Amino acid sequence: MSAHHGDTLAFRDKRFLLVEQPLEAYFELIGQRPRLHGGGCADGRGYAARWEIRDGWLYLAGLAGQWADNSPVALQNLFPFAGERIFATWFSGTLHAFRQDDAEQGCGAAPRRYPDLVLTVDQGRVRSSSIVHRGAPSAVDAHAEAGLQAGREAMASAAGGSGLMI
């Protein structure tokens, strides 16, 4: 995992790219952000975090990046008494994620594909999760949309062309 690819999340045996950055909430909580090397990417965070949901809880499971002196950042640098993963009690909010493609990219977001994942987290505990499937419209969906459009046109003509539709 390279520092410029962003945060990832493992959930139900799938890998996702996270939009939000839960570790930033921790830095706000402790009142300071470590001096990390920004790298060559626009976001300049200097790290990429690996997250996982295990038994309904959000964990920080890995960290890659560099300190300002170019030495590598490890999870134990920020959490010295931690084991292999950190329970993310500091994070409450909504996480949005996209399925991760296998293709590696340079700076910026990797290609995204669906389904989208939305998680609501309260002090590290996942309160709700939903997957939004957004594939190409099927023939049935296209037929239904054509029927709706024909109904709209019929209503508009019945209204004498006034264009008012309810």
Side-chain angles (χ1 to χ4, degrees):
M1 177 169 69
S2 62
H4 58 274
H5 286 160
D7 291 4
T8 60
L9 173 71
F11 180 70
R12 295 186 181 161
D13 299 323
K14 293 186 177 26
R15 290 178 52 96
F16 294 87
L17 295 173
L18 274 177
V19 174
E20 289 76 20
Q21 302 163 354
L23 192 53
E24 294 297 320
Y26 176 73
F27 296 150
E28 287 179 30
L29 179 69
I30 64 172
Q32 66 181 18
R33 191 175 193 290
R35 295 188 46 158
L36 301 172
H37 185 291
C41 291
D43 71 357
R45 291 186 312 150
Y47 72 90
R50 186 170 42 88
W51 302 87
E52 65 182 39
I53 302 294
R54 189 177 284 202
D55 297 326
W57 299 93
L58 176 65
Y59 289 94
L60 174 59
L63 194 63
Q66 295 180 341
W67 292 105
D69 67 0
N70 294 326
S71 61
V73 171
L75 202 55
Q76 285 68 30
N77 295 132
L78 297 179
F79 302 93
F81 301 106
E84 62 186 48
R85 63 182 185 272
I86 313 303
F87 175 43
T89 57
W90 66 84
F91 184 78
S92 291
T94 302
L95 296 175
H96 299 86
F98 300 92
R99 290 253 338 245
Q100 182 176 8
D101 282 330
D102 296 331
E104 289 292 321
Q105 299 292 316
C107 291
R112 295 175 178 173
R113 64 181 182 199
Y114 300 105
D116 292 327
L117 174 67
V118 179
L119 300 172
T120 303
V121 180
D122 182 28
Q123 296 180 334
R125 177 76 171 153
V126 176
R127 296 294 178 198
S128 68
S129 64
S130 62
I131 295 178
V132 181
H133 296 276
R134 292 188 213 169
S138 68
V140 172
D141 292 337
H143 180 69
E145 181 59 33
L148 286 172
Q149 184 60 32
R152 287 186 195 113
E153 290 169 3
M155 286 177 62
S157 65
S162 69
L164 177 62
M165 291 178 49
I166 299 174

